[in-house]
Amino acid sequence: MHLLRFASKIILIRSRFCLPACQICGNSSHRGVMSGAQKFVQDDLGISDAQIEVLIGATSIYSLVGSLAAGWACDCAGRRRTMALSAAMFFAGSAITSVAGGYAVLMAGQLVAGVACGFGLVVAPVYIAEMAPAASRGFLSSIPEIAGNAGILLSYIADFALAGFPNNVNWRLMIGVGAVPPLFLAVATLLAMPETPRWLVLHGHHDEARRVLARTTGDAALADRRLKEIVSSAQESSKQAVPGGSDERTRSTSVWRDILIRPTRSVRRVLLAILGLQFFQQASGVAALVLYAPRVFHHAGVTSQSAVLGATILLGVAKIVAIVIPLFLADRLGRRPMLLTSAGGMTVSLLVLGFSLRASPTAHAGASAAWWAAATSVTAAAAFMATFSLGFGPVIWMYGSEILPLRLRAQGTGIGTAVNRVMSAVVGMTFISLYEAVGMAGSFYIFAGCAAASWVFVYALLPETKGRTLEEMEALFDDSANDAVINHVRVQ
């Protein structure tokens, strides 16, 4: 019965949910491929560790710019066109990086690809949240994270498969193969994906929104009822807009005012939830393992290049296998249990990883001790990736995109993604310097402390959102009904 239910959901997903997922897959594969390619880039172009640290970390800074611009683009051009633009930029960035003959061109390619990553990280969860029915939004919103993990795994496999080529060829192939899918994705997005009905309503295209709802629900009466709910929510939201402002520039100014300058108490609570989740996701150190796993394993005593890349593939496998769990449970157990379990598992696995890395320098005194330290380090790193994928990987994106009011959703998601990219950049650009200062084990102890703090944050501040329509979310954070709603949801 569960298999039949799963198969039916997969059939219903169709292109409107698969294509945003493909966008995230391409973004993640570009980041993941640099983990194995960086050594070959250094050998071929003669760049230093410091330059590699800046090159990898700068991608997150560039995606910060993209995420801030993506909210505005989503509101002005629409979710569908923004996704096509992101795919086209990603194709260009990957192509430029793969043909680079020096550090400056590498940085230029990473700039374009990084901006594209920022666009994709914003528009994909917003699109899926606005298209998915409430009962299966958790299931469908997990698909981009599955695609992202698949992209990382495929990039690790590509690194392993292409490592045997000459150093002036292998890393170019690793990066270059990722430039082809986005080209097809840009075309497919424009041809196969409808615009979201909520964006259409927000811009006055009610008839087109009704047609999209009728296609996606398969029930004309249900489509009319959902349209009335969306129109009512949009009208309520528009009451807070700048008086007399109907053009895009004025509307955008009003959104930024309501988010940053004069937010209501409920909007502040929503922003605190989003920004806190995005901060803790990256502060737990996931970028350190995604980007620098070969260095970590080499420090743990895995000295063979093939063994290091093989252990890195294991991380990708653990990540993509574990992500299937929230696919089924996010709509049944809820968001809070998944996040709490994830934060607890990350804390324990990071502590074990730190302990095994601390043992590894003394492990060289004996082969058996060295083997123990290396095996424990790889196992703990894989456990971290798996527990990360249980909650803090997929759930924070669905949670953030579903709790924002309609008028603030795109740009609010962009702000949250910007915080995510800043923290990713901080981790990516400082990890080498950090472990040189406090030791490899000390670095992961710090990450473990952040993971433990994330558990407290989720437990104390986040209400449950499963099963609620997007139009019901505002009541969950509304001052007048907030305490009663949260208590009712937690009892469920």
Side-chain angles (χ1 to χ4, degrees), residues 2 8 55 66 102 112 200 209 228 242 261 321 410-411 437 455 487:
H2 291 299
S8 65
L55 177 71
V112 179
L200 293 170
K228 289 179 181 178
V242 174
I261 300 175
V321 169
Q411 301 213 39
W455 191 96
N487 291 334

Side-chain angles (χ1 to χ4, degrees), residues 115-249:
V115 171
C117 287
F119 268 72
L121 287 170
V122 172
V123 68
V126 167
Y127 184 90
I128 291 180
E130 293 189 354
M131 292 293 288
S136 57
R137 190 170 58 245
F139 172 88
L140 296 172
S141 296
S142 297
I143 294 174
E145 186 67 17
I146 294 175
N149 290 342
I152 291 173
L153 175 59
L154 290 173
S155 69
Y156 290 162
I157 293 173
D159 289 348
F160 184 82
L162 299 172
F165 285 83
N167 284 353
N168 63 338
V169 175
N170 52 17
W171 68 269
R172 299 180 190 276
L173 292 176
M174 293 173 186
I175 296 171
V177 293
V180 179
L183 181 62
F184 294 99
L185 175 62
V187 176
T189 298
L190 293 175
L191 295 178
M193 291 175 60
E195 186 52 79
T196 71
R198 289 173 173 85
W199 184 86
L200 293 170
V201 166
L202 201 61
H203 288 74
H205 306 299
H206 291 195
D207 290 339
E208 189 175 350
R210 182 181 289 105
R211 287 194 294 270
V212 174
L213 285 168
R215 286 171 54 193
T216 55
T217 63
D219 185 332
L222 177 60
D224 287 337
R225 187 163 66 251
R226 294 294 300 120
L227 179 63
K228 289 179 181 178
E229 292 175 1
I230 295 170
V231 170
S232 176
S233 177
Q235 289 174 344
E236 184 67 25
S237 180
S238 66
K239 292 178 182 179
Q240 302 177 14
V242 174
S246 59
D247 60 277
E248 294 296 343
R249 179 176 297 179

Side-chain angles (χ1 to χ4, degrees), residues 32 48 77 157 198 220 233 243 266 302 305 361 364 372 408 469-470 476:
S48 66
I157 293 173
R198 289 173 173 85
S233 177
S266 59
V302 184
Q305 182 66 26
H364 297 297
W372 173 87
L408 311 180
T469 67
L470 297 184
L476 192 62

Side-chain angles (χ1 to χ4, degrees), residues 316-338:
V317 172
K319 231 172 164 287
I320 199 169
V321 169
I323 195 62
V324 176
I325 297 175
L327 187 71
F328 292 103
L329 297 183
D331 290 316
R332 297 177 63 184
L333 295 182
R335 284 47 160 166
R336 275 173 54 88
M338 303 301 294

